[in-house]
Amino acid sequence: DGSAAELVKKANIGRFFSHQDSEGIEEFLIQLATNEKNGENLLKPDQSVINQYNFSYLTQKLEQIMNTLISR
Protein backbone atom coordinates (compact mmCIF):
# COMPACT_ATOMS: atom_id res chain seq x y z
CA ASP A 1 0.00 0.00 0.00
CA GLY A 2 1.11 3.52 -0.68
CA SER A 3 -0.06 7.08 -0.30
CA ALA A 4 -2.84 6.65 -2.84
CA ALA A 5 -4.19 3.57 -1.06
CA GLU A 6 -4.09 5.44 2.24
CA LEU A 7 -6.01 8.37 0.77
CA VAL A 8 -8.64 6.13 -0.84
CA LYS A 9 -9.15 4.31 2.44
CA LYS A 10 -9.19 7.48 4.54
CA ALA A 11 -11.70 9.20 2.24
CA ASN A 12 -13.73 5.98 1.87
CA ILE A 13 -13.93 6.39 -1.90
CA GLY A 14 -12.94 2.88 -2.90
CA ARG A 15 -10.67 -0.02 -2.09
CA PHE A 16 -7.19 -1.01 -3.15
CA PHE A 17 -6.25 -4.54 -4.12
CA SER A 18 -3.04 -6.17 -5.20
CA HIS A 19 -3.08 -6.98 -8.88
CA GLN A 20 -3.04 -10.69 -7.97
CA ASP A 21 -6.21 -10.44 -5.87
CA SER A 22 -8.72 -11.06 -8.65
CA GLU A 23 -11.13 -12.76 -6.22
CA GLY A 24 -11.10 -9.76 -3.89
CA ILE A 25 -11.71 -7.39 -6.79
CA GLU A 26 -14.54 -9.55 -8.11
CA GLU A 27 -16.18 -9.78 -4.67
CA PHE A 28 -15.93 -6.03 -4.19
CA LEU A 29 -17.47 -5.29 -7.60
CA ILE A 30 -20.29 -7.72 -6.92
CA GLN A 31 -20.86 -6.06 -3.53
CA LEU A 32 -20.96 -2.63 -5.17
CA ALA A 33 -23.42 -3.77 -7.83
CA THR A 34 -25.65 -5.57 -5.31
CA ASN A 35 -25.75 -2.61 -2.98
CA GLU A 36 -26.44 -0.22 -5.87
CA LYS A 37 -29.30 -2.46 -7.01
CA ASN A 38 -30.75 -2.33 -3.48
CA GLY A 39 -30.43 1.45 -3.37
CA GLU A 40 -27.56 1.34 -0.89
CA ASN A 41 -24.14 2.87 -1.20
CA LEU A 42 -21.26 0.70 0.00
CA LEU A 43 -18.93 3.68 -0.11
CA LYS A 44 -19.68 6.74 1.96
CA PRO A 45 -17.11 9.33 0.88
CA ASP A 46 -15.74 11.48 3.68
CA GLN A 47 -16.19 14.96 2.24
CA SER A 48 -13.93 16.54 4.87
CA VAL A 49 -11.01 14.43 3.63
CA ILE A 50 -11.86 15.06 -0.02
CA ASN A 51 -12.09 18.82 0.59
CA GLN A 52 -8.46 18.83 1.75
CA TYR A 53 -7.51 18.27 -1.90
CA ASN A 54 -9.77 21.00 -3.26
CA PHE A 55 -7.79 23.59 -5.22
CA SER A 56 -9.26 26.45 -3.20
CA TYR A 57 -8.38 24.78 0.11
CA LEU A 58 -4.84 23.99 -1.05
CA THR A 59 -4.38 27.57 -2.24
CA GLN A 60 -5.43 28.87 1.20
CA LYS A 61 -2.97 26.50 2.89
CA LEU A 62 -0.18 27.68 0.59
CA GLU A 63 -1.04 31.31 1.35
CA GLN A 64 -0.85 30.58 5.10
CA ILE A 65 2.55 28.94 4.73
CA MET A 66 3.87 31.81 2.62
CA ASN A 67 2.56 34.42 5.07
CA THR A 68 4.21 32.55 7.94
CA LEU A 69 7.52 32.48 6.09
CA ILE A 70 7.32 36.15 5.14
CA SER A 71 6.56 37.27 8.67
CA ARG A 72 9.65 35.55 10.11
Side-chain angles (χ1 to χ4, degrees), residues 15 17 20-31:
R15 303 256 165 75
F17 300 90
Q20 296 99 356
D21 187 8
S22 58
E23 286 182 24
I25 296 167
E26 180 182 2
E27 287 174 16
F28 179 67
L29 291 173
I30 290 170
Q31 256 186 325

Side-chain angles (χ1 to χ4, degrees), residues 7-65:
L7 175 59
V8 167
K9 183 177 181 180
K10 191 174 172 184
N12 196 29
I13 56 174
R15 303 256 165 75
F16 260 76
F17 300 90
S18 71
H19 59 278
Q20 296 99 356
D21 187 8
S22 58
E23 286 182 24
I25 296 167
E26 180 182 2
E27 287 174 16
F28 179 67
L29 291 173
I30 290 170
Q31 256 186 325
L32 280 175
T34 302
N35 284 21
E36 180 70 26
K37 197 175 192 179
N38 295 332
E40 301 168 2
N41 190 354
L42 181 63
L43 302 173
K44 294 178 178 45
D46 185 339
Q47 201 61 45
S48 65
V49 174
I50 295 168
N51 286 342
Q52 292 177 20
Y53 297 91
N54 175 294
F55 184 75
S56 176
Y57 177 80
L58 291 173
T59 303
Q60 286 177 340
K61 293 293 284 180
L62 179 59
E63 180 183 15
Q64 290 171 358
I65 292 167

